Amino acid sequence: MISVANHFLYFIFEKINKMSNVNAYAAQAADSPLGPHQITRRELRPNDVHIEILYCGVCHSDLHTARNEWANTTYPVVPGHEIVGRVMAVGSDVKKFKEGDLAGIGCLVDSCRECENCKAGLEQFCLEGCTGTYNNPERDGSGMTYGGYSKEIVAREEFVMKIPGNLPLEAVAPLLCAGITTYSPLRHWKVGKGDKVGILGLGGLGHMGVKLAASMGAEVTMLSHSPSKKEDATKLGAHKFVLTSDEEQVKGVQHYFDFILDTVSAEHDYNFYLSMLKTDGVMVCVGVPPTPAQIPAMNLIFGRKSFAGSLIGGLPETQEMLDYCAEHNIVSDVEVIKISEINEAYERMLKGDVRYRFVIDMASL
Ligand SMILES: [Zn+2]
Ligand SMILES: [Zn+2]
């Protein structure tokens, strides 16, 4: 008996030993600032990749979740889903990565991998519900997922992206959420040469929208109510700027755009922008205002216009986007911060005081 018990204890000890204790930054409650916290990462499974995190972008969703603004947060929560790092170890069945490779993780770390959406490479729409990189229950019931505000992460190989080596890593990190969120609708609606594209909102998402749409050959117009954005929009690659508080300028773009990408998450009137679409024009929203939209059917019927939504992108498209950005030399404009500056960064983000994405240097953790 004693030997069986000893054996069992040894087995448990071995298991715990193989899990890694990892430094992280977490929010313990909706009204408390983020601070140091320890988490464990699971023992490497045959399909897993173990990554040392080098940089993690700061997305507005991190703030919403840390402060329980979507009323679904389980504490403690470790945010972060714009993760870039280096592979420390791989499971025995991993084919795509080896130790030392660059690797990235975006908004998803798992899905059912069997439903029609997963099979079509649309894991973000998994019919069983995909597993978010943080604040989501693990599919095996072992607890909650913890995100990129941490030193290391373990995830299934399919959910780990290849990171091109020719781009600055800190500026690649935001591509994993802000980049794919804007790339996917531009690709899905086949935006290309000669198309007239309006980008609404110049933040983390909007600045990627401008860069990507311009790189695809579209004529890009920045739509903004603040004249101070004009210079930056031009630098990012916008061809035109329309001040939406100027009646004359707004008149000039009635029935003008083939496609409008709306990245604004504050309340605003969609109808004002729908009137700028050509016949068969499409307006896609990727921002989430707190109140429901009111759109009279007539505003869509006249001109056969479409009003649609889009959510990040699936795994194949996320890899395609990273490869596209490597080829076209596209990265995010970032301000690198230390992990200890994250609470201040959240406050600045709320004021729009960032050009255009904070990225945490994980060496500071
Ligand atoms: Zn995000
Ligand atoms: Zn699925």
Side-chain angles (χ1 to χ4, degrees):
M1 263 322 271
I2 288 167
S3 110
V4 170
N6 272 347
H7 199 82
F8 180 71
L9 280 176
Y10 181 75
F11 174 75
I12 293 290
F13 177 76
E14 271 281 271
K15 263 210 130 30
I16 292 170
N17 224 12
K18 279 183 187 161
M19 286 165 61
S20 25
N21 288 315
V22 170
N23 286 339
Y25 243 58
Q28 304 287 346
D31 55 359
S32 71
L34 277 78
H37 178 68
Q38 273 235 325
I39 55 172
T40 50
R41 294 298 188 187
R42 68 171 178 252
E43 181 186 348
L44 210 60
R45 297 169 186 162
N47 297 304
D48 277 345
V49 180
H50 192 156
I51 299 166
E52 178 198 7
I53 301 175
L54 300 175
Y55 295 100
C56 184
V58 180
C59 174
H60 214 105
S61 308
D62 301 355
L63 187 157
H64 285 305
T65 306
R67 299 185 177 178
N68 199 22
E69 288 170 357
W70 291 330
N72 67 351
T73 306
T74 302
Y75 292 98
V77 65
V78 177
H81 58 204
E82 294 181 339
I83 298 166
V84 169
R86 207 170 273 288
V87 175
M88 299 166 69
V90 296
S92 52
D93 291 347
V94 169
K95 305 259 181 337
K96 215 165 66 174
F97 294 95
K98 60 178 188 323
E99 196 187 326
D101 284 351
L102 293 172
I105 293 177
C107 304
L108 308 179
V109 285
D110 211 350
S111 71
C112 85
R113 291 171 279 115
E114 278 167 9
C115 73
E116 62 176 281
N117 284 344
C118 283
K119 283 199 170 133
L122 295 169
E123 295 82 359
Q124 76 274 38
F125 304 130
C126 174
L127 297 174
E128 308 274 311
C130 56
T131 304
T133 302
Y134 58 82
N135 193 43
N136 269 207
E138 293 275 12
R139 301 189 98 77
D140 63 1
S142 62
M144 299 297 284
T145 56
Y146 295 119
Y149 296 9
S150 58
K151 288 295 256 189
E152 297 169 21
I153 188 167
V154 176
R156 283 187 69 95
E157 174 182 29
E158 301 94 313
F159 292 79
V160 181
M161 300 292 127
K162 288 270 199 192
I163 298 294
N166 64 323
L167 300 172
L169 292 182
E170 68 279 14
V172 167
L175 299 179
L176 274 311
C177 175
I180 187 61
T181 298
T182 47
Y183 180 88
S184 183
L186 290 167
R187 276 290 186 239
H188 180 76
W189 278 278
K190 299 186 170 56
V191 167
K193 218 170 169 47
D195 283 335
K196 291 184 166 62
V197 171
I199 305 283
L200 183 49
L202 189 58
L205 294 176
H207 95 287
M208 287 311 308
V210 170
K211 288 187 185 203
L212 289 166
S215 76
M216 291 168 187
E219 180 208 274
V220 180
T221 302
M222 183 74 223
L223 299 162
S224 177
H225 54 69
S226 117
S228 64
K229 302 269 178 161
K230 185 173 179 175
E231 200 188 323
D232 267 21
T234 309
K235 267 192 224 154
L236 293 166
H239 306 93
K240 293 184 177 180
F241 183 87
V242 168
L243 186 63
T244 51
S245 55
D246 182 317
E247 248 176 72
E248 277 308 301
Q249 291 188 32
V250 170
K251 242 187 231 167
V253 288
Q254 294 299 295
H255 312 290
Y256 185 80
F257 296 111
D258 298 284
F259 187 87
I260 294 176
L261 183 64
D262 180 352
T263 71
V264 174
S265 22
E267 212 171 309
H268 58 293
D269 182 10
Y270 291 111
N271 300 291
F272 180 75
Y273 301 97
L274 285 170
S275 71
M276 298 176 184
L277 287 178
K278 274 183 193 167
T279 300
D280 286 327
V282 181
M283 174 158 159
V284 175
C285 54
V286 290
V288 187
T291 48
Q294 294 235 351
I295 299 174
M298 284 298 186
N299 288 358
L300 300 173
I301 289 170
F302 279 87
R304 198 163 53 192
K305 295 171 182 178
S306 303
F307 180 69
S310 184
L311 175 72
I312 47 174
L315 301 175
E317 195 174 48
T318 304
Q319 188 62 60
E320 177 193 307
M321 176 274 308
L322 287 164
D323 298 343
Y324 176 90
C325 287
E327 194 186 322
H328 293 82
N329 220 6
I330 295 171
V331 286
S332 180
D333 287 18
V334 300
E335 179 178 335
V336 177
I337 59 166
K338 296 191 193 104
I339 190 86
S340 57
E341 294 168 324
I342 187 65
N343 295 300
E344 188 195 332
Y346 278 5
E347 291 310 314
R348 286 183 52 198
M349 198 159 70
L350 285 173
K351 288 185 236 152
D353 177 23
V354 52
R355 287 184 174 169
Y356 279 94
R357 204 65 149 180
F358 288 115
V359 173
I360 306 162
D361 179 354
M362 223 42 82
S364 65
L365 176 61

